[in-house]
Structure formats: C-alpha cells, structure tokens
Amino acid sequence: MTKVLVVDDEPSLQTLLTYNLKKSGFDVVSAVDGKQALDIIHEQKIDIVLLDIMLPEESGVDVTRELRAEKNQIPIIMLTALDDEIDKVVGLEIGADDYVTKPFSPREVIARVHAVLRRFSQKTQTEKEQSVRHSQSYGRLTIDFDKMVVQFDGEIVKLTPKEYELLAYMAEREGRVLSRETILDGVWGYEFSGPDTRMVDMHLSHLRDKIELDPKHPVYLKTVRGFGYRFDRSHDEQE
C-alpha cells in the first residue's frame, strides 16, 4: 500500500486529508512540523509527502532543501497559501514536484498525488532502462544522462532536479515542437492547462539563464510562437 506523509500543523486539514486519502486506498502517516517530518522520512518508507510550506521548527522549504541535499528524491507536493507565490517558486526551484494552493478540494489533492506518483514511477523505470546510456553532446552543451550532469564548454552547470528533468526531456525530443501542456504532462506528470503552464515558462527562463550565452536570443531552447518550445542544436555555435 502506498504510504503518504501529510505534514501540516492545522488539525482540521490533517483530518480532512487523512480521511480522504485513506478512503482512496492510501496508508497515511502525519507530522505537525518539519523536524518530525524529517524523522519519519528517515525512519519509515514513505512514498510521497504532502508538505505545508508554513511549519513550526523547519519550514516546508527547509525540509525540501534538506532532503534534496541528502540526494533523497522522494516526491513532494507543497501545500501553499494563495498569496505564497514566492514560496511556490522557491519550493519548485529546490526540487518540489508540484504544489496545491489552499483552499483546495481533497479530490484535487488526490489527483495530484496519483499524477506525481505516476511520473515518479515512469522516471524510475526510465533510469533503470537507461543505466548504460552514454552522454550526448550538442555543440558546446553536453548532457550526461547517466550521471545527470550538464556541462557547457566543459564547465558543470548547476541545475535544480526539475531543471535537469526539463532539459533532458526536451533534448530527448530534439527538433520537436512541444506545447506547454505536453511539457507539463511529460515533466510534471499531469494534464492541466491555464496557470499551471507558467511553471514551464519559469523553468525554461531559468534554464536559458544557465545554458545560453544570450538568454534573450536562445540557441538551444527556442520559442515557437503560438505553439510552445523546441530544443534545437542546428545552430549551436554560440559566439
């Protein structure tokens, strides 16, 4: 049975999520602060975490940062207040897999849990299948799919886990025009449109800052106006 850790210091929200998750067939454990959450993750086999950003002891952002620093890739869905836009961005940047804005319906949360778990399972399977895969060079850019390392002109580029996933996903589909919805489904693992597609734009913008000499005139991560984005190396000699 899939085990979900719900981390929130609001008893009513804990009760609501626990009841609905159990009703949907999940095993549920709970924590009320960041320190307790980390202890549970280190002691038990947790499959996914629903993590409130605003927590006593350690915030959700702190917990996520600590787990990713430990190379723990457990799926994390942030629970955020409506006006926590900065915290959402920070959470995604340091490796959270998704976020849900309060107030939310239990049905939405459960749909996101299923989607993130599906994406995580597909990613794990792909990594197993590609265990002998070698690195690929795209002009001055090199992606080592085995080690999940990106280099530009021989220098390692520091990417967040989600930035790497996005770059690898697009590079594997070199030359294809990918809509925001397609990228969202492929990298984040669910099919939603509207405001959620801003995550794609935000991460593409940050990627360009890191792998393009001139982010305003990208060579690798091209915008196809009216359609989406394309990874392209047909003109990869950046001057």
Side-chain angles (χ1 to χ4, degrees):
M1 186 179 292
T2 301
K3 184 176 286 189
V4 183
L5 172 61
V6 178
V7 190
D8 200 292
D9 60 339
E10 295 181 39
S12 59
L13 192 145
Q14 278 274 11
T15 300
L16 178 68
L17 287 176
T18 298
Y19 172 79
N20 283 278
L21 285 164
K22 286 184 175 180
K23 188 177 177 182
S24 296
F26 293 99
D27 185 14
V28 183
V29 293
S30 61
V32 296
D33 60 52
K35 184 179 182 303
Q36 186 182 13
L38 287 169
D39 288 342
I40 291 173
I41 292 169
H42 290 147
E43 293 169 1
Q44 301 184 36
K45 184 184 182 302
I46 302 297
D47 297 295
I48 188 168
V49 183
L50 296 177
L51 181 63
D52 188 30
I53 282 185
M54 300 300 293
L55 291 169
E57 300 294 334
E58 293 190 59
S59 72
V61 170
D62 292 333
V63 171
T64 302
R65 184 179 287 114
E66 187 166 336
L67 288 171
R68 296 310 186 231
E70 297 171 354
K71 306 300 182 185
N72 188 328
Q73 296 304 311
I74 185 172
I76 296 173
I77 299 177
M78 291 286 198
L79 307 177
T80 75
L82 188 60
D83 57 352
D84 284 339
E85 191 67 31
I86 292 177
D87 286 333
K88 292 174 190 173
V89 173
V90 172
L92 292 169
E93 277 293 285
I94 63 175
D97 297 275
D98 197 3
Y99 67 83
V100 182
T101 301
K102 298 178 183 179
F104 46 71
S105 70
R107 180 180 296 179
E108 178 189 6
V109 175
I110 291 167
R112 296 292 181 98
V113 168
H114 281 298
V116 170
L117 285 171
R118 183 173 66 249
R119 171 61 186 163
F120 184 76
S121 175
Q122 291 170 348
K123 175 185 173 185
T124 301
Q125 182 61 32
T126 299
E127 288 173 352
K128 289 179 180 177
E129 292 171 354
Q130 297 175 340
S131 60
V132 296
R133 189 176 182 179
H134 58 273
S135 64
Q136 178 70 49
S137 292
Y138 307 89
R140 301 167 75 171
L141 181 72
T142 300
I143 304 175
D144 188 324
F145 294 94
D146 238 2
K147 299 178 181 178
M148 293 188 290
V149 172
V150 175
Q151 295 183 339
F152 187 85
D153 279 350
E155 297 292 327
I156 292 178
V157 181
K158 293 183 179 179
L159 301 180
T160 66
K162 195 57 67 176
E163 287 170 352
Y164 170 79
E165 260 190 87
L166 177 57
L167 179 60
Y169 179 84
M170 294 187 67
E172 288 170 341
R173 293 154 182 80
E174 180 185 351
R176 287 174 51 185
V177 177
L178 304 170
S179 69
R180 290 172 174 83
E181 289 77 13
T182 297
I183 295 171
L184 192 67
D185 184 42
V187 178
W188 280 266
Y190 56 86
E191 296 177 358
F192 285 101
S193 58
D196 287 297
T197 60
R198 291 179 302 173
M199 289 196 294
V200 176
D201 298 331
M202 178 188 74
H203 281 76
L204 258 297
S205 176
H206 292 169
L207 263 177
R208 283 171 172 165
D209 288 339
K210 294 179 179 182
I211 69 168
E212 303 278 4
L213 289 182
D214 183 357
K216 293 184 178 179
H217 300 89
V219 169
Y220 297 109
L221 301 173
K222 302 287 186 64
T223 298
V224 182
R225 198 169 299 279
F227 293 96
Y229 297 100
R230 181 181 75 242
F231 182 89
D232 188 8
R233 61 166 169 177
S234 59
H235 305 286
D236 58 11
E237 278 75 28
Q238 295 190 359
E239 301 297 339

